[in-house]
Amino acid sequence: MRILTINPGSTSTKIAVFDDTTPVLVENIRHSVDELSQFRQVSDQFEYRRNLVLNALKEHDIPLQFDAIVGRGGLLKPIEGGVYEVNDIMLGEIEHPMRNHACNLGCRIAHDLCQSIPGCRALTCDPGVVDELIDVARISGSPIMPRITTWHALNQRSIARRYAAEHGQRYEELNLIIAHLGGGISIGAHRQGRCIDVNNAFDGDGPFSPERAGSLPPGKLIDLCYSQKYTLEQLKRRISGNAGLAAHLGTTDVQAIVKSIEEGDKHAELVLNGMIYSIAKWIGSAAVALKGKVDAILFTGGVAHSDYVVSRLIDYVNFLGPTFVYPGENEMLALATNAIGALRGTIEIKQYK
């Protein structure tokens, strides 16, 4: 089967063409600030990004002939995990999403391109709003602010299935803790095929990360909101963007930070070790959600390439269970694998309602 995957991000549009799970084309189309500044809002970028996808396929002499086109899932209302047909209800709701992000364009572009390809299915899978929390995990200390999820569902669930296959088991049989270590960090407690607890990585819940603040002292945060020192937008940037390692050290490049540590930078060492400690504590809380029954702890995401970070995390948490490392995001292959499973009938194609 030939599959086209489309992953719109804040500064790039990634596309890949697969023959089954073999990549034929992998392209990362980057967008400058100037290019995107002409659009008032993210939804206005639809035609621009769609045309870039078409141009990339044309440049590589790849005809517009696919069994499925699968786009990265958008920030819709909370749904259970799985593969979804892009239908009219989804397209209607993505016009007014819960949050504005370029990932909302994935299903729109997939649907649009499929219209001219006979038999092609427009799909999306495991968006960041997948919500499988157990009821007690939704309760916070304030009834007006229940816990919600926005996390790296696509990569976490893909890595879970990969680990299960490598060990001759099924995802639905395992209890796993999965730590996605990227610009944002999400720690999921997966119990027999469902992520029963996970931090809201988009809004700042959880450990701090290269660009996000993580959980903050609420009283201090409220004081800052009323200090008149910052605008609303500036404060949001203090939570996501200019936060975490970026705020402490002026960079999100973990490799560069490790290099400065090796050259004797004690402040950088303290901050990076603080992030590692923060991540380890959240992994511990995921073990509690699983009542200590942990088959494995999996590390994934771009920061998982760092031996400095991963080795220290393992030192903290390996008493909880065996650890395995799957560095990188793996999102394009995850999209293709889900689409192939759906077309072959091994994965249910759900209808968004």
Side-chain angles (χ1 to χ4, degrees), residues 123-146:
L123 304 171
T124 188
C125 61
D126 290 335
V129 292
V130 166
D131 183 347
E132 300 169 336
L133 296 185
I134 53 177
D135 288 341
V136 293
R138 301 182 190 281
I139 305 300
S140 78
S142 172
I144 63 173
M145 289 183 283

Side-chain angles (χ1 to χ4, degrees), residues 45-46 109 141 144 153-154 165-166 191 213 284 286 302 306 316 332 348:
Q45 299 172 18
F46 166 69
I109 297 173
I144 63 173
L154 177 64
E166 289 174 356
R191 186 179 69 193
S306 170
Y316 273 118
M332 305 309 279
E348 176 191 359

Side-chain angles (χ1 to χ4, degrees), residues 48-264:
Y48 164 75
R49 296 205 189 216
R50 179 201 60 191
N51 290 339
L52 287 174
V53 172
L54 289 171
N55 290 340
L57 295 174
K58 185 176 181 179
E59 287 172 9
H60 292 275
D61 296 320
I62 295 177
L64 202 61
Q65 296 174 357
F66 301 102
D67 295 287
I69 301 177
V70 54
R72 179 182 175 186
L75 301 179
L76 295 153
K77 63 190 177 188
I79 56 176
E80 67 177 10
V83 176
Y84 287 82
E85 191 103 48
V86 179
N87 59 21
D88 290 340
I89 298 175
M90 181 183 293
L91 292 171
E93 291 190 8
I94 206 66
E95 292 289 336
H96 306 284
M98 292 174 53
R99 297 173 181 84
N100 287 314
H101 190 277
C103 66
N104 295 330
L105 299 172
C107 63
R108 291 184 60 195
I109 297 173
H111 181 267
D112 182 84
L113 297 184
C114 276
Q115 298 308 295
S116 59
I117 308 173
C120 184
R121 305 287 293 271
L123 304 171
T124 188
C125 61
D126 290 335
V129 292
V130 166
D131 183 347
E132 300 169 336
L133 296 185
I134 53 177
D135 288 341
V136 293
R138 301 182 190 281
I139 305 300
S140 78
S142 172
I144 63 173
M145 289 183 283
R147 292 186 66 232
I148 63 171
T149 62
T150 310
W151 57 295
H152 304 90
L154 177 64
N155 193 37
Q156 285 205 28
R157 289 166 64 88
S158 172
I159 291 301
R161 292 192 183 95
R162 176 177 167 185
Y163 168 84
E166 289 174 356
H167 291 79
Q169 295 175 287
R170 296 174 62 248
Y171 172 42
E172 292 76 13
E173 300 169 339
L174 296 169
N175 285 355
L176 303 170
I177 298 172
I178 306 179
H180 179 104
L181 312 177
I185 291 174
S186 61
I187 314 292
H190 296 248
R191 186 179 69 193
Q192 297 178 349
R194 297 178 68 85
C195 185
I196 63 169
D197 202 351
V198 64
N199 60 297
N200 183 350
F202 189 88
D203 280 345
D205 180 38
F208 77 86
S209 74
E211 63 177 42
R212 295 172 193 170
S215 300
L216 295 169
K220 182 63 175 177
L221 182 58
I222 291 170
D223 290 341
L224 284 176
C225 291
Y226 285 90
S227 68
Q228 299 184 338
K229 293 180 180 179
Y230 304 97
T231 66
L232 174 63
E233 188 57 36
Q234 287 171 334
L235 278 173
K236 285 186 175 181
R237 292 285 294 170
R238 291 281 180 171
I239 290 175
S240 179
N242 185 22
L245 297 182
H248 280 287
L249 302 175
T251 181
T252 61
D253 188 336
V254 171
Q255 183 178 352
I257 293 169
V258 171
K259 186 173 185 296
S260 69
I261 291 171
E262 292 170 346
E263 294 170 352

Side-chain angles (χ1 to χ4, degrees), residues 9-66:
S10 56
T11 60
S12 68
T13 301
K14 298 175 184 177
I15 68 169
V17 175
F18 292 86
D19 282 341
D20 289 334
T21 57
T22 302
V24 175
L25 168 69
V26 178
E27 187 95 350
N28 186 5
I29 307 167
R30 297 197 174 275
H31 315 304
S32 69
V33 174
D34 287 341
E35 287 173 329
L36 297 182
S37 64
Q38 62 183 301
F39 303 103
R40 188 174 63 86
Q41 53 190 10
V42 171
S43 60
D44 297 333
Q45 299 172 18
F46 166 69
E47 290 189 9
Y48 164 75
R49 296 205 189 216
R50 179 201 60 191
N51 290 339
L52 287 174
V53 172
L54 289 171
N55 290 340
L57 295 174
K58 185 176 181 179
E59 287 172 9
H60 292 275
D61 296 320
I62 295 177
L64 202 61
Q65 296 174 357
F66 301 102

